[in-house]
Amino acid sequence: MRIDPTGASPTVSRRAVLGGVTALATGTLSGCVQQMRSLANRRRPDPVSLTIRTVPADTDSAATQIARSLAMHLDAVGIDVEVIPMAEDELRRTVLINHEYDLYVDRYPKQEDPDFLRPLLHSRFSEEPGWQNPFGYSNLDIDGLLTDQRITENQARESVVSELQRAVARDQPFTVVVFPNEIRAVRTDRFTGWYRFNPTTKITYLTLNQADDADDSSESRPLRVTTTDDRITKNFNPIAVEFRSNGTFTGLLYDQLALRFKGMMWPWLAESWTWEPSPAGNTTVTIELRDDLSWHDGRPVTADDVAFTYRFLADTSLGSRESPVPAPRFRGRISLVEAVEALDDATIRIDFDDTSPEVAVRALTVPIFPKHEWEPKATVADLAGIDLIEGVTEALIWTNPEPIGSGPLQFEHSIAEEVVTLSRYDEHFINQASTTNLGDIFGTGVVFDELQVRVVPSDEAAVQLIAAGNADATASSVDPRVVPRIGRNPDLKLLVQPSRSFYHIGFNAREGPLGNPKFRRAIAQLVDKEFLVTEVFNGYASPAATPLAETSWAPSDLRWEEADPEVPFLGARGDLDVEAAKEAFREAGFQYSDEGHLIGR
Amino acid sequence: MTFHIVLVQIAAIVSVLLFLAALAVIGPRELRASRRRYRERCRAIAPYAVGLGIVLLINRLGRRLGPELSWIIGWNVTGSIYAVEGTFVAELQALASPPLTAYFSFAYIHGYIFLLIFPLLAYFVLEEIEPLHETILAYTFNYGIGLVCYIVFIAYGPRNLMPELVDSLLYTTWPESQFLTTIVNVNSNVFPSLHASLALTVAAMAYRTRGVYPRWWYLAVVLAASVIVATMYLGIHWALDVIAGAALAGISVYAATRTSALLSRADSGQWWVPAYVDRASRVVHQLMKSIR
């Protein structure tokens, strides 16, 4: 027997019947339409599709290979993927300025103090251009730790930084891949002393010696180095983030208040300094400038220039815009500074807010600019009179074709994509053999009268040039595949040093699934860092789980031992365990379509 | 400087090749006979040579400005090319052996330069001037259209996208050559392959003149094929670059023959303005008169 679901009495009026029928009809119809709407307005889950941006193999073969290997593994787990090679400056513009990317593979410039992680990961920087949180990542716990490490000192800071690294490794806002070795080919028949310091620091160039058996009869003594990176020939602007990596050559032109040497900070343009930490966390430093400083155009370097530089880097529009336009480089260091004041011609006072002296001293390593050159660049950049993009000042896009600094070398000339020539600036204090706070390591100053940086098409070509005696050293690190070529030639010395710069995979957390930390972790587990070290770097690199891996800051539980302690590779010897990897994506909340594509909404 | 040594070496080898080919293909008697026509020939090709010169000059300037412009308006097609043809070039390179690499490196640099210069020489001494005109015009179209393509398309070659599979064979076996090739072009300009398009252009012209120079036709086919295979074998170009290069060659040769015909008609006094334009201008003329 059927039971009337409505439970209505069997005796009903005609009207009620009619009404009931109508209601039933509308009800059925509306139910049907509702179902239809529910289906039609449900967005079809899309197959997940990602792009990986990186540089072409000519620029950095290792970066391209990391991207390719990741792409193959993403493809294996059912993600549609495309590798897009881009010129280096264009890659930086797309990733660091426009934030228009899904994933990228690049090298992060060398770093010294954990505070570099603050601009890189703190959410307050996520709308800024440059290496300022290009990931659009935000995590309140990490924000807190980043702020804490800035104010704490010694052991307290160590434990905060350890905690921070664990949180970063867990969340994978970016994946550290490896720290490559710096590999260089050098000749020692004209200049020696390449081994003493890291070759990406300017100290290496300033402390070279002339070889004992060098031919003294020739009048000019140029030091000729090669680079595969032609950006230095096109742009000398120290704050143009797309054109600078470690900034070694601009560092030779522009001096700074403090110089890092043997892990310590030493007064450089400063004669002396006095630090006054306060219990409330506010730190003040009073700096006395050296009295023998001059710009390359002959004008004196004054406290006013220094104060200007700090104001200018904090806001390149110098207050003329509604919002400040900070320089995209040195942002982390400049953000420590609260106020700067020139007390007299040679004395500057800098106030820091919530910053320990240990961190605050980083702010003294920014390049000092001549006020008379840069003040006119505070205007808004336009294209033929049209203010194209809001909040871009001339200073950010200026190529600075004839840089005027106060460094030990001055600019001579440059031919785009070919060569840059810097010459010894005789008035500089190290070239005057004046005493420095670093002792007598500089002798009578730089031993060459010119530094020629020549652009070469490839690392093979660079080695060829040096072997032929047409160059003295590679200025940039060369690809491990040319190491045998260097080894075979008795005239060449191979220089291998660990570096503080790391390859990483950046995730744009603003883009769909990449905002999900589990999804990022699943991607990180597709990367066999150990295998990449063997295959891509021929062993000239160390796999790493944390961006501070090559420092004493890395906690023991994040040290590399056989595998990544946090996101181990799902597979062995470069072979991905596809089922395990797919399971990781399912765990992250994603599904697979019948055709095997990873789908997401 | 290494670069100059490379240049001198190449110039010497290509000169020897040109000399030998001139003896074998053109023959000493024709070469001597052509000396009488020398002046008149130079006058006849001057405007064409100037045209080619201008395009080459623009190309030269474009080499520096082109990439800058390209990154503003261009379209990065590297990923799309890879999506279509995948690892074809890597599979081709799997056949690599040192003698093959030496042969294709030679074909890519010396063979290619020889292939471009020899027809100019061979057609210069010929009785008819059309092949020479057509060849110069075809080169002009190749370079002109090629430059536009390079601005519109940003593409890196296989060696730049998949270094783990494709070796830069030319540059690893002969690093100095890269000093030359980087002066000629930049690595984001691979689509279409100008090596392929110009080699095919020369082959097409050789086919048209096979009656006079049968030996050149055989030689040109073998050399052009070698150059085309070399572009891929050496990891410099994609197969799609070569296909696009072939299309460019076709367009250039067609356009060159049409233009040459039009220009020669203009030269011989037959004005080549289509008849309806002529008629229209006469109507306008009449109208103007009647208004006055």
Side-chain angles (χ1 to χ4, degrees):
Chain A
M1 198 188 113
R2 286 186 67 193
I3 296 163
D4 185 1
T6 59
S9 86
T11 49
V12 283
S13 70
R14 223 171 95 175
R15 198 173 181 169
V17 169
L18 267 178
V21 168
T22 322
L24 195 68
T26 353
T28 319
L29 197 62
S30 88
C32 184
V33 173
Q34 230 165 47
Q35 262 188 36
M36 215 161 86
R37 174 177 160 206
S38 167
L39 187 64
N41 283 3
R42 197 174 285 246
R43 200 153 74 83
R44 179 200 294 272
D46 292 326
V48 175
S49 149
L50 297 171
T51 58
I52 308 176
R53 285 166 204 272
T54 189
V55 288
D58 273 352
T59 307
D60 187 344
S61 172
T64 318
Q65 291 182 62
I66 294 170
R68 281 273 300 162
S69 132
L70 175 62
M72 273 186 292
H73 289 167
L74 283 170
D75 187 58
V77 297
I79 295 176
D80 184 33
V81 61
E82 184 183 339
V83 176
I84 305 179
M86 306 180 85
E88 195 156 18
D89 54 337
E90 203 54 39
L91 177 73
R92 295 282 171 81
R93 221 167 277 132
T94 309
V95 171
L96 299 183
I97 298 178
N98 299 338
H99 303 151
E100 285 168 348
Y101 70 97
D102 297 335
L103 285 84
Y104 73 84
V105 176
D106 200 0
R107 254 179 108 151
Y108 186 82
K110 70 166 186 219
Q111 31 71 35
E112 304 282 355
D113 186 279
D115 190 52
F116 83 89
L117 289 169
R118 188 172 47 85
L120 192 62
L121 292 173
H122 198 293
S123 58
R124 69 160 281 217
F125 293 101
S126 69
E127 296 303 313
E128 290 192 19
W131 286 108
Q132 273 66 254
N133 201 341
F135 321 112
Y137 173 72
S138 63
N139 178 319
L140 296 179
D141 294 335
I142 286 182
D143 282 1
L145 291 166
L146 288 166
T147 311
D148 286 350
Q149 62 79 32
R150 164 177 170 176
I151 184 79
T152 47
E153 282 189 289
N154 304 324
Q155 286 192 330
R157 186 167 187 231
E158 261 172 47
S159 82
V160 172
V161 171
S162 295
E163 195 49 46
L164 172 66
Q165 291 178 74
R166 288 187 196 103
V168 169
R170 204 160 45 235
D171 238 25
Q172 297 283 315
F174 59 93
T175 296
V176 181
V177 184
V178 298
F179 282 75
N181 290 337
E182 292 281 338
I183 306 171
R184 280 169 167 70
V186 299
R187 287 184 82 90
T188 51
D189 56 345
R190 301 178 72 246
F191 298 97
T192 60
W194 295 102
Y195 301 85
R196 284 197 279 170
F197 307 107
N198 188 308
T200 56
T201 59
K202 64 173 164 186
I203 290 190
T204 297
Y205 291 95
L206 303 183
T207 55
L208 285 180
N209 296 320
Q210 215 176 334
D212 295 333
D213 51 347
D215 182 11
D216 262 342
S217 57
S218 64
E219 280 186 7
S220 78
R221 261 197 325 270
L223 169 64
R224 301 151 310 171
V225 296
T226 64
T227 179
T228 48
D229 182 357
D230 67 4
R231 291 176 300 165
I232 186 64
T233 63
K234 297 174 179 167
N235 183 305
F236 298 91
N237 187 340
I239 60 174
V241 69
E242 333 76 292
F243 290 91
R244 302 279 87 84
S245 289
N246 292 320
T248 312
F249 295 116
T250 50
L252 288 162
L253 296 171
Y254 290 90
D255 258 345
Q256 57 231 40
L257 292 172
L259 195 63
R260 188 180 285 273
F261 176 61
K262 292 194 170 165
M264 296 262 287
M265 290 289 206
W266 304 81
W268 181 247
L269 286 182
E271 177 73 55
S272 62
W273 54 40
T274 321
W275 290 90
E276 295 164 57
S278 87
N282 301 330
T283 300
T284 296
V285 63
T286 310
I287 295 164
E288 206 62 44
L289 288 181
R290 293 179 65 102
D291 58 5
D292 52 359
L293 304 176
S294 62
W295 297 111
H296 298 152
D297 60 4
R299 301 200 200 187
V301 177
T302 64
D304 199 32
D305 288 312
V306 176
F308 164 79
T309 301
Y310 284 88
R311 277 191 289 120
F312 186 67
L313 293 178
D315 179 10
T316 56
S317 77
L318 293 174
S320 65
R321 313 267 321 173
E322 179 67 31
S323 309
V325 184
R329 281 191 86 217
F330 316 110
R331 181 72 181 109
R333 285 171 252 183
I334 288 295
S335 68
L336 300 167
V337 174
E338 181 67 19
V340 184
E341 196 184 343
L343 301 179
D344 61 43
D345 260 6
T347 320
I348 308 108
R349 199 187 67 216
I350 305 179
D351 296 320
F352 302 90
D353 203 14
D354 287 336
T355 308
S356 67
E358 187 181 320
V359 175
V361 70
R362 289 188 71 223
L364 306 186
T365 58
V366 304
I368 301 300
F369 289 172
K371 186 180 179 185
H372 57 275
E373 280 278 309
W374 289 85
E375 201 170 25
K377 303 296 169 205
T379 51
V380 170
D382 56 24
L383 204 66
I386 305 161
D387 183 1
L388 214 56
I389 292 147
E390 177 86 7
V392 177
T393 55
E394 198 61 34
L396 304 190
I397 59 163
W398 190 34
T399 58
N400 192 13
E402 285 172 24
I404 303 275
S406 64
L409 297 184
Q410 62 185 342
F411 177 78
E412 276 304 315
H413 60 87
S414 124
I415 305 170
E417 292 168 22
E418 286 179 30
V419 67
V420 176
T421 308
L422 311 181
S423 67
R424 187 181 199 265
Y425 180 54
D426 292 332
E427 306 304 312
H428 192 271
F429 56 89
I430 67 161
N431 296 334
Q432 292 283 341
S434 305
T435 50
T436 69
N437 289 297
L438 280 65
D440 57 357
I441 59 165
F442 302 107
T444 53
V446 289
V447 292
F448 46 87
D449 45 31
E450 268 190 358
L451 171 63
Q452 295 168 5
V453 186
R454 187 171 296 281
V455 176
V456 288
S458 67
D459 291 336
E460 280 90 355
V463 171
Q464 202 80 26
L465 267 191
I466 299 167
N470 291 321
D472 297 300
T474 57
S476 42
S477 187
V478 297
D479 194 275
R481 69 170 185 270
V482 302
V483 167
R485 258 171 217 273
I486 302 171
R488 275 200 297 272
N489 193 316
D491 293 336
L492 301 185
K493 298 272 186 299
L494 178 68
L495 187 58
V496 179
Q497 283 165 317
S499 88
R500 291 273 177 91
S501 152
F502 57 87
Y503 284 98
H504 64 292
I505 300 163
F507 304 109
N508 193 347
R510 305 170 188 89
E511 296 293 328
L514 293 165
N516 176 347
K518 285 193 172 173
F519 186 73
R520 295 194 299 261
R521 285 175 63 97
I523 292 182
Q525 293 199 273
L526 301 178
V527 184
D528 191 347
K529 303 176 186 178
E530 194 88 57
F531 185 73
L532 290 172
V533 166
T534 329
E535 286 297 302
V536 175
F537 294 90
N538 294 345
Y540 289 100
S542 349
T546 161
L548 292 170
E550 293 287 290
T551 67
S552 55
W553 294 96
S556 56
D557 49 319
L558 285 179
R559 291 265 158 74
W560 190 274
E561 269 160 35
E562 311 265 305
D564 193 299
E566 187 61 41
V567 279
F569 175 60
L570 296 169
R573 283 168 215 272
D575 285 329
L576 182 71
D577 179 346
V578 176
E579 268 322 303
K582 284 188 166 178
E583 194 48 43
F585 283 96
R586 284 195 196 97
E587 284 284 303
F590 291 80
Q591 292 171 353
Y592 279 92
S593 71
D594 296 343
E595 297 86 42
H597 292 301
L598 188 76
I599 48 177
R601 275 167 221 283
Chain B
M1 229 337 257
T2 321
F3 165 63
H4 294 115
I5 300 169
V6 173
L7 212 58
V8 169
Q9 277 175 351
I10 292 174
I13 292 172
V14 172
S15 303
V16 172
L17 288 179
L18 287 171
F19 179 73
L20 293 178
L23 287 184
V25 172
I26 307 168
R29 203 175 327 142
E30 277 71 16
L31 280 170
R32 241 170 311 179
S34 73
R35 263 189 289 179
R36 278 177 283 118
R37 284 197 298 274
Y38 175 74
R39 260 166 203 289
E40 163 245 337
R41 265 293 126 95
C42 283
R43 257 199 306 276
I45 61 160
Y48 295 81
V50 168
L52 178 61
I54 291 171
V55 170
L56 287 178
L57 196 73
I58 294 173
N59 240 289
R60 188 94 196 93
L61 299 175
R63 198 189 78 81
R64 187 146 297 162
L65 297 177
E68 302 282 337
L69 212 60
S70 219
W71 283 111
I72 297 176
I73 59 165
W75 175 29
N76 195 334
V77 293
T78 319
S80 316
I81 294 176
Y82 175 74
V84 173
E85 67 169 85
T87 55
F88 171 75
V89 171
E91 280 145 33
L92 187 67
Q93 257 197 6
L95 309 171
S97 68
L100 273 184
T101 305
Y103 172 71
F104 284 120
S105 301
F106 184 79
Y108 187 80
I109 303 248
H110 303 89
Y112 176 66
I113 299 173
F114 167 75
L115 200 58
L116 291 197
I117 298 177
F118 185 73
L120 298 176
L121 204 74
Y123 298 148
F124 187 87
V125 301
L126 216 56
E127 195 89 44
E128 315 83 73
I129 191 128
E130 283 76 21
L132 187 56
H133 279 171
E134 287 169 7
T135 303
I136 298 176
L137 283 169
Y139 287 2
T140 313
F141 282 116
N142 268 298
Y143 280 110
I145 303 170
L147 179 67
V148 174
C149 290
Y150 286 160
I151 290 175
V152 175
F153 301 108
I154 298 166
Y156 288 96
R159 69 191 178 88
N160 259 317
L161 182 69
M162 34 187 193
E164 79 284 9
L165 293 178
V166 177
D167 279 327
S168 301
L169 280 177
L170 178 62
Y171 305 133
T172 48
T173 51
W174 191 27
E176 298 94 325
S177 66
Q178 211 172 1
F179 287 105
L180 179 74
T181 54
T182 44
I183 287 199
V184 179
N185 213 336
V186 295
N187 59 8
S188 55
N189 286 350
V190 300
F191 183 88
S193 161
L194 268 192
H195 260 76
S197 78
L198 281 164
L200 283 170
T201 299
V202 170
M205 289 305 301
Y207 177 77
R208 290 168 65 91
T209 57
R210 69 192 184 285
V212 226
Y213 290 134
R215 284 178 184 176
W216 171 236
W217 158 235
Y218 301 131
L219 185 59
V221 164
V222 172
L223 264 180
S226 303
V227 168
I228 287 169
V229 176
T231 60
M232 293 180 284
Y233 175 91
L234 298 171
I236 297 167
H237 282 292
W238 302 96
L240 283 182
D241 301 340
V242 170
I243 292 168
L248 174 56
I251 293 168
S252 299
V253 172
Y254 175 76
T257 49
R258 291 297 299 262
T259 317
S260 168
L262 285 175
L263 289 177
S264 64
R265 242 186 291 161
D267 264 0
S268 56
Q270 305 170 357
W271 191 235
W272 45 279
V273 173
Y276 58 88
V277 177
D278 194 43
R279 234 175 291 139
S281 76
R282 241 175 277 161
V283 172
V284 172
H285 193 71
Q286 285 294 328
L287 272 172
M288 295 297 280
K289 245 200 216 162
S290 61
I291 290 166
R292 243 180 279 148

